[in-house]
Amino acid sequence: MKPLTIKLFRDLWRLRTQSVAIAMVIAAGVAMVVMSFGMIRSLEATRAAYYDRYRFADIFAPVRRAPDLVIAQIRAVPGVAYAEGRVSATAILDVPSVAEPVSARIHSLPTFGGLNLLVLRSGRLPAANSPDEAVVNEAFARAARLEIGETFGALLYGKQVRLRLVGTVLSPEYVYAVAPGQIFPDNRRYGVVWMNRDPLAGALDLEGSFNEALVRIAPRGSLPEVIRRIDLLLDRYGGTGAYGRDLQISDRFVSNEIDQLSTTVELLPPIFLAVAAFLLNIVLARLVDTEREVIGLMKAFGYSNVAIVGHYAALALLLSAGGLVLGSFLGTWLGHALATMYQQYFVFPFLQFRAGADSYLIALAATVAAALIGSAISVRRASQLTPAEAMRPPAPSDYSGRWISGLTRRLGPDEPSRIVLRNLLRRPLRTSLTVLGLSAALALYIASASSTDNVDKMIDLAFGRAERADLVVTFAEPRDARAIHELARIPGVMRVEAYRAVGAKLIAGHQIVREGLTSNSAGADLSRLVDLNGRLVEPPAAGVIISSRLAKQLHVNAGETLRTEIAEGERPAVDLSVSQVIDTPLGSSARLERSALNRIMREGDTSSGAYLEVDPLFADRIYRELKETPQIASVTSEAAIIEGVRDTVAQQMGIVTLFNTGLAALIVLGVVYNSARISLSEQARDLASMRVLGFRRGETAFVLLGELGVLVLLSLPIGILFGIWLARYVTEQFSADLYTIPFGIHAATLAEGVLVVMAAAVATALLIRIRVDKLDLVQALKTRE
């Protein structure tokens, strides 16, 4: 074995404790790369295979009522590979095990070989000649404790029907089954039902017709052109505008999750690996300093600069190798755990974590880059040393600086304290870098742990200050003021506020966005418009208030005009002035005053639904009344929504946050321990000298541990400020078009981060104290004269 190879392994053994700390930091970054890249790949591959195997439609075209013959015309559109019509409707279910009315979407069963095919999970599909048989999505059946063979009621446009459950299914259309207007699933109170087409069409008076067309485009078909032609075909039948799969709500949530994972990969692993590079730089800088003589001897014996540079670069790579291996295994394990969690969150029939070779290659490349960048400065110093210079002892540290001496005398009450301050001040660069590393570790922990704080803030804004109603009732068709009075007469209903909502196409120049227009009455209290700062914003008497995300999509500012084409009623097209642009917690929105929208719709006091404030003591009676009230399409309980959000956050985001904060805690421990261990190596001779001069063990340990304490204390305020900034930045990057995550970090999260750093410092201090007490004075005092 070559001498340099023997030295390489000897150095590696000597630095084994530091290498463990470095490996922990690198493992955290590598694990996040493997987990996130692998999960992105797994989700994309699973989604593509699922959509293709079960023929998920590319285009959805809702229409009021179109005869079945129109489907043949749609199939004849250039670019269309296949099309079929179906019957769909909203409904209220009366499920025995659920007290509240259950909102549901009911579809006719897909035809054999058609689109949006179902995955049968249990039981069977409804028989062709059984009008009362139905299947439901598996998550709803499980959450609502519906058993096969059980019956439940359904209110369909004022008609009560009785259905018998014969099976449970999955659908590519409901990978993320969420009620309209919600962002988190509530499987107990929202379900999807499929039944035979004829009985469903009969209940809705749609015999021989369909109210939604599903289209699959040909491989070379143009999606925008096909949508344009379908809109022209369905316009005379009350088409409200076809849209592509990218606007389908379930697919939007899946795409949003993939985007967030991509953001995680772009943000956090580089920071983790930058901290690892920083640690490598400190370790190798110290090694080069202590091996000046060795480097000089190697050069004197004829080793080239290339051989010496290669030696220290190889040492940096070997110090990182353990982290790469550990991180790969850890990332794979976390990926499998994350896939199991996603299987419950996003309902796929199959989802296996497959990182792929390229994920590990990316992790390898990132680790090598971090190792080489971290060792670059030290390796360069080793290559620039001449043999003569390297053979000379380094110049002793200069303590003669007037300001350092004066400062340490004023601040240090005794000699050990002055030694601590002098050690910190004589190496300002190293002190600054160490403080920076500790601050970065604390910032990473704060940024990782603050995600649940933001969700708490979003819940407070969305449901505490904006949506304050107990129940939200949606009518199957727009109703006049009598419907509001009927709701107000239900015993236990204390307050009713009507709202009007319509679908619309918002146009600004070449930008077109399909969005709903929502309107409340002036002075409404149960549903208010609130911005991210919690400020109440009243709807304008004229014009429209839009969210900043919608303004960004349309490229408009306050004061500009939007062309608005409404897709309901007489389909009026008007120009609306943008009166204000605000940041809202729940996605894109456009809101105006209800009387203004009624004027645009050329209708009287009409509403799409109502917000209800109810007496909890009358809840059961109110639920019974609503289940039996015709023309009610859905009922949403705000308390149930909040409960669902908190459950989802606790089950899903809690696990992800636990992963990230666990990895951040590894970095905290690695940085703190490495900083203290390097200081011990650098000051071993000084500490031994103090012992020989008569200082007690406690005083000797104080010099080292006091330095660590000062570094940790200096890093805390910087780390907190950096952590708040990083948390805010990550929050902004994670916001999507469906919702905006407000920034709302809790003081407890900051305190928790400080405690983690302090705990890591205390644990490290105990380990270092043991090593200081066992210091070999003879060995430490050996030095070259």
Side-chain angles (χ1 to χ4, degrees), residues 186-259:
D186 180 8
N187 292 319
R188 181 175 165 79
R189 302 171 187 85
Y190 179 74
V192 188
V193 181
W194 288 264
M195 59 185 291
N196 283 306
R197 176 168 172 164
D198 288 344
L200 179 59
L204 301 174
D205 296 327
L206 287 172
E207 293 91 345
S209 305
F210 65 91
N211 63 3
E212 188 173 24
L214 305 178
V215 179
R216 198 168 174 90
I217 63 172
R220 294 186 179 180
S222 169
L223 184 70
E225 179 61 18
V226 171
I227 288 177
R228 188 185 71 81
R229 288 174 176 264
I230 290 175
D231 282 343
L232 289 175
L233 273 174
L234 296 180
D235 184 63
R236 73 182 71 173
Y237 303 107
T240 56
Y243 57 90
R245 183 192 292 171
D246 59 323
L247 295 180
Q248 199 265 340
I249 192 67
S250 170
D251 188 72
R252 287 178 72 182
F253 272 100
V254 177
S255 299
N256 180 66
E257 184 65 23
I258 293 173
D259 291 343

Side-chain angles (χ1 to χ4, degrees), residues 49 76 109 145 154 219 259 274 284 298 353 441 523 564 646 682 722 769:
L109 284 169
R145 290 179 289 177
D259 291 343
L284 289 181
M298 287 194 293
F353 177 76
T564 306
R646 293 197 182 281
E682 289 175 340
F722 184 31
R769 173 63 190 268

